[in-house]
Amino acid sequence: MLKYDLVIAGAGYAGLVLAMKCLSGGMKVAVVDIKAEGDLGHDWSDSVEREVLEKRDIGFSEKEITAKPKGLHIISPLRSKEFFLDYAYEIVDMKLLHKRLLEKVEERGGELHLRASAVRPILESSGRCKGLRFNENGEPRELKADFVADCTGIKSAIKSLMPRGSGFKIELSSTDISKAYREVRRWNGKTKGNTEKVLAGWLSYHYGINGGYSWVHPETDDRIDVGAGIQLGKGYPDPENTVPERVKNLGLGERLRGGGGVIPVSSSHPVLYSHGVLLVGDSAFQAIPTSGCGAGNAMRSALIAGDALLRSRLNPDERGSLYERLYFQQKGADLAYYDVLRRRMQSFTPETLDWLMKKGILGSRELYASIHGLYQNTPAFSTLLKLAYGFTRIDVLLKLKRALSIGEKLREHLQNIPYRAKSGEKWLQKYYDLLSETYHFD
Ligand SMILES: Cc1cc2nc3c(=O)[nH]c(=O)nc-3n(C[C@H](O)[C@H](O)[C@H](O)COP(=O)(O)OP(=O)(O)OC[C@H]3O[C@@H](n4cnc5c(N)ncnc54)[C@H](O)[C@@H]3O)c2cc1C
């Protein structure tokens, strides 16, 4: 039986970048996905952090960039305030990006098993995962490996079959999940009648609506992207209904591409490696909580995981733990801070959010930083209490201040994640204690 260094479940953005990275370091890698080649990758364009695309291992070609927005235009919930911000994302054709990543994996000698079914972990009696088993063309297959990566997105197909003792977090509260839907439509450069104004070339977000936002982006003179992301679990209207309504109101033409799905917007649980299994991408809850952008960070995390797995002087468990540590130090701790902020913001009414934006408490710098998932102790946030004396809504400011303080503590705690988080029981308990305060945001 063939033995691999790494077998990856899921040939999405995380899985392919992880495969590429490990193959370039000389590892023997196989990737297994349930989809056929033509169905892989999203049939639309996503916002992907420029900084991630500029990494040598990923890169991008101009033909993958479908639009160059002038910037980000943010409208407050009650439309009383608007902001014009820089946008450090590229709008990327996710089918083309996916195709290039897949070609790179093949060029580097990666083995692909597509249209697989019944993908399951091979578990030893100790609970350690030693590979994947699945059916291919109706025949049972087993691929044994030192490491297995679960890159199956929110389905978390391997993680969910691991024994309880693995310490992985499996269940997500529905309020920690966003549902997003988008359509790219033809248009004639004008909107119908007296409907909303559309700013040519700007990506406009109507912020703080239904626990998320809706957007409209005239990408070119004859093509426009319309979409929405909502928080689940609160009975908000489904974007698969609201987006077509908006398309109708705007009088847009033929549907060119689009689609929808769910995105985990909670930040990562500290256990990203256990019993021979690594979690990367949406299966590890690595999207930016305050914007729902997960593709860029899935690829960034795959590079971090690859770096750790290639440290051949370390034993497998040390390499897995190193991935956890590097991830939280490089990005995960910052995203935990934004997750606390997300929970707090989603607890406020649209009126309160509008007020915060009008007063500049949630101003340009704060919006820029949170949408990009870039930690910064921004002036408006840090001087909140001083501001509080001049305002009437002290209750709101105190709630926000408390959330920021928990966010800071959680961030610092995660930056100091010990090697083997699961064995650091005291450390893990403190993590849960800090997080539990955020469950009571009302
Ligand atoms: C409408 C919409 C808009 C979005 N917009 C943006 C955006 O603008 N910017 C951004 O950064 N992110 C965006 N996202 C989120 C982004 O798409 C995800 O965060 C990203 O795709 C996560 O990558 P991944 O590789 O972890 O998972 P995925 O891309 O979901 O890939 C998972 C792969 O695993 C495979 N798989 C599933 N089950 C199994 C199994 N049992 N066995 C084997 N393989 C399996 C799937 O077929 C798939 O190929 C959006 C999402 C949606 C739905």
Side-chain angles (χ1 to χ4, degrees):
M1 181 182 302
L2 278 174
K3 174 96 192 283
Y4 298 80
D5 296 303
L6 169 68
V7 174
I8 301 171
Y13 304 95
L16 293 183
V17 171
L18 178 62
M20 243 170 55
K21 180 76 192 170
C22 291
L23 286 162
S24 63
M27 286 176 102
K28 187 170 170 53
V29 180
V31 187
V32 184
D33 202 292
I34 49 176
K35 287 188 184 161
E37 185 167 341
D39 297 331
L40 289 168
H42 295 152
D43 191 18
W44 60 71
S45 296
D46 275 347
S47 293
V48 180
E49 294 93 306
R50 194 172 302 135
E51 175 225 335
V52 172
L53 293 169
E54 281 170 352
K55 290 188 185 292
R56 197 165 40 91
D57 288 307
I58 298 177
F60 64 99
S61 75
E62 280 304 319
K63 73 171 196 277
E64 289 167 7
I65 308 299
T66 51
K68 293 255 177 208
K70 290 178 184 163
L72 187 62
H73 169 223
I74 295 194
I75 307 160
S76 67
L78 305 187
R79 300 186 180 274
S80 69
K81 175 89 186 163
E82 43 185 355
F83 300 86
F84 291 89
L85 310 177
D86 285 341
Y87 197 51
Y89 287 93
E90 297 287 351
I91 311 291
V92 179
D93 183 319
M94 297 305 278
K95 270 278 178 197
L96 292 183
L97 171 65
H98 191 279
K99 189 165 174 279
R100 181 167 57 82
L101 295 176
L102 196 68
E103 281 165 6
K104 279 197 184 181
V105 168
E106 285 179 308
E107 270 165 29
R108 292 178 192 187
E111 201 179 283
L112 290 171
H113 298 265
L114 302 180
R115 302 184 71 174
S117 64
V119 183
R120 302 180 75 81
I122 302 172
L123 296 176
E124 288 182 332
S125 55
S126 65
R128 193 175 178 89
C129 180
K130 292 304 289 176
L132 290 180
R133 63 165 56 98
F134 51 94
N135 291 339
E136 193 174 24
N137 302 322
E139 296 290 322
R141 292 291 303 259
E142 282 199 354
L143 305 182
K144 295 242 170 134
D146 291 335
F147 294 100
V148 168
D150 186 344
C151 298
T152 60
I154 198 166
K155 283 200 181 152
S156 306
I158 306 306
K159 173 173 80 166
S160 58
L161 296 174
M162 290 298 289
R164 267 183 173 274
S166 68
F168 287 137
K169 180 171 164 63
I170 294 167
E171 293 297 322
L172 260 192
S173 146
S174 55
T175 53
D176 286 336
I177 299 175
S178 264
K179 178 163 185 188
Y181 178 75
R182 73 190 327 149
E183 290 189 359
V184 179
R185 293 261 173 180
R186 254 198 222 298
W187 76 315
N188 60 6
K190 296 186 193 113
T191 48
K192 205 171 76 177
N194 57 358
T195 51
E196 65 184 288
K197 162 178 90 167
V198 169
L199 288 183
W202 286 85
L203 171 51
S204 289
Y205 269 55
H206 189 195
Y207 196 80
I209 297 298
N210 299 331
Y213 41 78
S214 62
W215 70 86
V216 57
H217 179 201
E219 295 182 338
T220 61
D221 289 346
D222 65 355
R223 200 180 65 223
I224 190 164
D225 174 22
V226 182
I230 62 142
Q231 182 186 22
L232 288 184
K234 294 254 176 115
Y236 293 134
D238 190 329
E240 287 194 35
N241 297 326
T242 57
V243 171
E245 269 168 38
R246 196 166 181 206
V247 161
K248 204 168 149 205
N249 290 340
L250 288 167
L252 306 179
E254 173 201 0
R255 184 185 194 275
L256 300 172
R257 59 199 314 205
V262 286
I263 310 164
V265 287
S266 146
S267 60
S268 278
H269 182 259
V271 183
L272 296 178
Y273 170 80
S274 185
H275 291 66
V277 173
L278 295 113
L279 314 177
V280 189
D282 277 7
S283 74
F285 314 144
Q286 287 169 331
I288 298 173
T290 30
S291 65
C293 288
N297 205 38
M299 294 191 287
R300 181 205 319 269
S301 311
L303 293 181
I304 297 173
D307 268 340
L309 295 192
L310 289 170
R311 307 277 180 104
S312 53
R313 289 198 185 160
L314 302 178
N315 73 38
D317 287 349
E318 286 169 341
R319 289 188 245 175
S321 297
L322 182 64
Y323 161 50
E324 284 173 350
R325 206 146 190 239
L326 294 175
Y327 173 71
F328 283 102
Q329 286 172 349
Q330 293 180 26
K331 197 70 193 175
D334 292 355
L335 296 187
Y337 169 84
Y338 280 114
D339 190 24
V340 177
L341 202 61
R342 168 190 69 86
R343 285 162 199 258
R344 183 77 276 177
M345 294 301 176
Q346 286 179 329
S347 76
F348 289 148
T349 61
E351 291 73 22
T352 300
L353 277 178
D354 196 84
W355 178 81
L356 287 167
M357 288 167 83
K358 215 163 50 188
K359 291 288 178 193
I361 296 166
L362 191 52
S364 302
R365 289 189 58 169
E366 292 74 24
L367 287 166
Y368 178 86
S370 66
I371 283 169
H372 290 82
L374 301 172
Y375 171 78
Q376 54 175 312
N377 201 341
T378 59
F381 278 168
S382 56
T383 53
L384 263 180
L385 256 201
K386 276 188 235 155
L387 284 166
Y389 296 113
F391 288 133
T392 45
R393 304 188 65 179
I394 290 176
D395 58 326
V396 171
L397 295 176
L398 288 177
K399 281 182 179 174
L400 191 51
K401 180 102 177 37
R402 179 81 195 120
L404 294 171
S405 154
I406 300 170
E408 294 283 357
K409 284 185 196 151
L410 198 60
R411 175 173 177 266
E412 197 189 328
H413 193 61
L414 283 164
Q415 276 178 331
N416 292 308
I417 183 171
Y419 245 147
R420 317 279 311 264
K422 309 174 287 303
S423 57
E425 286 302 330
K426 259 177 138 175
W427 183 90
L428 210 50
Q429 189 53 51
K430 184 164 177 208
Y431 165 81
Y432 286 124
D433 289 346
L434 284 167
L435 205 63
S436 70
E437 292 199 46
T438 69
Y439 297 143
H440 307 301
F441 287 167
D442 47 37

